[in-house]
Every structure is written in structure tokens, then in C-alpha cells.
Amino acid sequence: MSNTVENKFKTPIIIVSILIPIVVAILFSIKLKDFGINVEPLSFLPPIYATINGLTAIFLVLAVRAIKSGNRALHEKLMTSAIACSVIFLVMYVAYHLTSDSTKFGGEGAIRYIYFFILITHIALSVIIIPLVLFTYVRALSQQFDRHKKLARITFPLWLYVAVTGVIVYLMISPYYVN
């Protein structure tokens, strides 16, 4: 397969990469209770989706190790698992925010600045990583392995950062969750 496969998916990837952050931002400001839908807050979800972020990070590291040792089949399974975890995370994250009020970080002093630095970089890179992951994945599916590897060298550390900082953000804000 050639670059034509990537070109075929270019427009859908760009559309999805723009729509996901916009839809998440819109849904973040909507609460189901505002529409008369009485749903209990899904307050049990944050530790679950933080764990899923942690699993994503583990899958990413193991996938890199697998491909470096020449095990392409395992690499493919681990990367597919990392993508699945990211999708599951996104669904749970949105579900939580549709049913629960946002939690304010209560830390003070230097830790507050550290938290917001991690949070802002996490959010910014979570938007940037969407097209990178999708283009990297399409290049692998279309067997453009040289181009896949070149883009994966950028995608991997950014995606790993997003996954790990997702866990860190959860750990830092978890004492302030209201049940």
C-alpha cells in the first residue's frame, strides 16, 4: 500500500481531530441534570479512567519494547490496546463530566503552579496527540513502516506524557473530590 491510503484518511482524521476536542469542550459545560435527566453523579469513574490512563502508558512502553525486539504482532496488539484504552478513557471522562460538577484543585503555593502546569500541558498535548496517533496508526495499517516509524518517534513520547500526566493530575486532585 502507498501514501494513497493515508491521503484517503487525511480528511476524516483532520475532522475527527478537530471535532473531538470541540465536542468534549461543549459536553464539559453540559450537565444532564440541566435537561431534567436525573442521573446519579458517576463519581466512581475518575479512579477508573486514571487507571486506564496508566494502562495506556504501560501498553505504549511495552509496545515499543516489543517492536524493538522484533515482535511486530505483539506490538500491533499492544498499540491497538493503547488506542482502545484511550477511547474508553474519553467515554468515561465525558460521562463523568456530564453527571458531575468539576472539582477545583485545593492545593496552595508552589504545588498549585505545578498542578496547573501539568494540567495545561496535559490538555494541550491531548488535543495534539489525536491526529498524531491516527496518522501513525494509518501509516502502520498501510504498511508504510518507514513513515510510521518516523512519526511514531514524535507520537510515542507525547502520548506517553499525556497518559502519565493523566494519572498525575488525578492523583493530585483526588483529595479534593466531593462524593
Side-chain angles (χ1 to χ4, degrees), residues 12-175:
I13 288 172
I14 291 169
I15 291 169
V16 165
S17 298
I18 292 169
L19 282 179
I20 288 175
I22 290 171
V23 169
V24 168
I26 291 168
L27 291 176
F28 197 80
S29 65
I30 295 172
K31 299 293 178 257
L32 292 177
K33 65 183 176 186
D34 296 340
F35 296 96
I37 301 171
N38 293 324
V39 176
E40 287 295 316
L42 301 174
S43 56
F44 63 92
L45 285 179
I48 296 170
Y49 63 67
T51 301
I52 290 171
N53 261 336
L55 285 173
T56 300
I58 291 167
F59 288 145
L60 291 171
V61 170
L62 292 175
V64 169
R65 288 183 56 191
I67 201 64
K68 286 187 176 192
S69 68
N71 192 340
R72 188 188 319 178
L74 179 60
H75 173 77
E76 290 174 14
K77 288 176 186 169
L78 290 165
M79 291 310 301
T80 301
S81 297
I83 290 170
C85 281
S86 292
V87 171
I88 293 166
F89 161 82
L90 183 61
V91 169
M92 287 184 173
Y93 181 81
V94 169
Y96 170 77
H97 284 286
L98 283 172
T99 64
S100 305
D101 293 326
S102 293
T103 301
K104 304 270 189 252
F105 182 71
E108 297 177 3
I111 195 70
R112 185 171 185 80
Y113 294 106
I114 293 167
Y115 170 79
F116 282 109
F117 174 80
I118 294 170
L119 178 64
I120 290 166
T121 57
H122 170 79
I123 292 169
L125 290 174
S126 70
V127 171
I128 292 167
I129 201 63
I130 297 167
L132 290 173
V133 167
L134 295 175
F135 278 115
T136 304
Y137 193 66
V138 166
R139 287 179 181 183
L141 289 177
S142 61
Q143 299 180 10
Q144 298 176 53
F145 296 118
D146 287 341
R147 297 183 76 227
H148 166 79
K149 184 177 179 180
K150 186 176 181 179
L151 187 55
R153 286 186 175 140
I154 298 165
T155 305
F156 168 73
L158 296 178
W159 193 2
L160 184 61
Y161 180 86
V162 169
V164 170
T165 56
V167 176
I168 293 169
V169 165
Y170 166 74
L171 292 173
M172 290 181 81
I173 201 166
S174 64

